[in-house]
Structure formats: structure tokens, C-alpha cells
Amino acid sequence: MARIAGVNIPTGKRVPIALQYIHGIGPDVAHKICEAVKIDEARRVNDLTDAEVLAIREYIDGNLTVEGDLRREVTMNIKRLMDLGCYRGLRHRKNLPVRGQRTHTNARTRKGPAKAIAGKKK
């Protein structure tokens, strides 16, 4: 099993698909990595040589922010918004949708299960 950026990527999959198991690498970035390191996208991870795996690892370390560093950066950005007290920060703090979605109905994922209204009798 190849280990890149602290993640064991699956060996039976094609290289661009396997690279997407790393947090911060999507389809486009995976294809760009394959082009930069000159690896055919049809090859499987278990067919790569140690030198090719090392080249991928060095490219990712040198050019991309992935895994723990990326998660830390995103968390710090959210904390900054909350400290500023801007609208997006307040929405994060109240655990409500941040990007303008309606909340009168829907938004159950962010708001949690519906709460019954106490004191209402029929």
C-alpha cells in the first residue's frame, strides 16, 4: 500500500482516483499531478515504482496544502469569521446554514432533528 501525505491510498485503483482519497485533492488536481509527474492516468497504484511514488509525494509536499494543514487552515478561517462577528461567523456560531439557504423549511442537516413545540395542545 502506498502512503502519501499520511494517507494509505488504495492499491487496486487508478492513480488519479486513488489520489482523491487525500483530503484536498479532487479530480482536477489529481490529473494535474499525473501530468506534472508524467505518470499515465490509466496505470494502477500497485504498478507504480518506488521512484514514481516518491515523485508524487514530493510534488504534493512542495506544491499543495493537504490533509492536516488544510483542515487546520479551514478551521482557523472559520474561527476568524466567528471572532470578527460578521454574518457568516454568526451563522457558524449558531450552527445554521452559512451560504444563504432558506431555513423556514429544510436545513434539517444543520439544525438537527425537529423539536416539538411545547405547550401546543389540540
Side-chain angles (χ1 to χ4, degrees):
M1 213 180 239
R3 189 166 178 84
I4 299 174
V7 176
N8 291 328
I9 60 174
T11 54
K13 298 189 182 286
R14 293 185 312 118
V15 176
I17 303 301
L19 286 174
Q20 292 177 42
Y21 279 70
I22 301 170
H23 180 76
I25 296 181
D28 290 340
V29 175
H31 290 294
K32 288 178 183 169
I33 291 170
C34 290
E35 288 174 8
V37 185
K38 297 180 177 66
I39 292 177
D40 184 27
E41 295 180 4
R43 292 181 61 194
R44 306 273 172 178
V45 174
N46 53 4
D47 296 336
L48 295 177
T49 64
D50 291 337
E52 290 171 329
V53 173
L54 183 65
I56 292 172
R57 190 177 300 134
E58 288 175 351
Y59 181 85
I60 291 173
D61 289 342
N63 300 319
L64 302 173
T65 305
V66 292
E67 282 301 321
D69 294 337
L70 180 61
R71 292 178 204 271
R72 193 174 310 107
E73 187 176 322
V74 169
T75 304
M76 292 305 295
N77 288 340
I78 293 171
K79 282 184 182 173
R80 178 180 51 81
L81 290 171
M82 289 166 60
D83 291 342
L84 284 173
C86 66
Y87 183 77
R88 282 173 55 201
L90 295 176
R91 302 298 283 183
H92 275 291
R93 194 177 302 154
K94 293 178 183 177
N95 203 24
L96 291 169
V98 176
R99 298 183 179 178
Q101 298 92 331
R102 67 179 288 131
T103 55
H104 179 72
T105 60
N106 305 334
R108 290 276 50 118
T109 302
R110 278 299 284 220
K111 292 169 75 172
K115 299 169 191 77
I117 299 173
K120 193 172 188 181
K121 295 181 182 179
K122 285 188 175 183

